[in-house]
């Protein structure tokens, strides 16, 4: 069983009509997860919890 942690953060809409939003994550959480500013994450609700995961990046061929 994995240990879970709870973090409270604020989000803001991008105001560009896309429905996207920006979540400011604390630097210590970013370091712990190996994420960086500008990473794109997916958001899922699993058993009532919001779960963030890095989105897989697939480069476009030109």
């Amino acid at each position: 069983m994995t240990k879970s942690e709870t973090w409270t953060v604020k989000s803001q809409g991008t105001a560009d009509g896309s429905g996207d939003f920006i979540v400011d994550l604390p630097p210590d959480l970013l370091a712990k997860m190996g994420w960086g500013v500008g990473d794109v994450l997916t958001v899922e609700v699993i058993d009532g919890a919001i779960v963030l995961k890095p989105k897989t990046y697939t480069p476009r061929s030109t």
Side-chain angles (χ1 to χ4, degrees), residues 4 8-9 12-15 18-19 26 35 37 40-42 46 49 52 56 58:
S4 64
T8 302
V9 297
Q12 60 185 7
T14 58
S18 67
W35 299 338
V37 173
V40 177
L41 306 174
T42 61
I46 300 175
L52 303 176
T56 304
T58 305

Side-chain angles (χ1 to χ4, degrees), residues 17-35:
S18 67
D20 291 344
F21 57 95
I22 298 168
V23 177
D24 292 320
L25 300 175
D28 51 334
L29 174 59
L30 292 174
K32 186 177 226 182
M33 299 304 294
W35 299 338

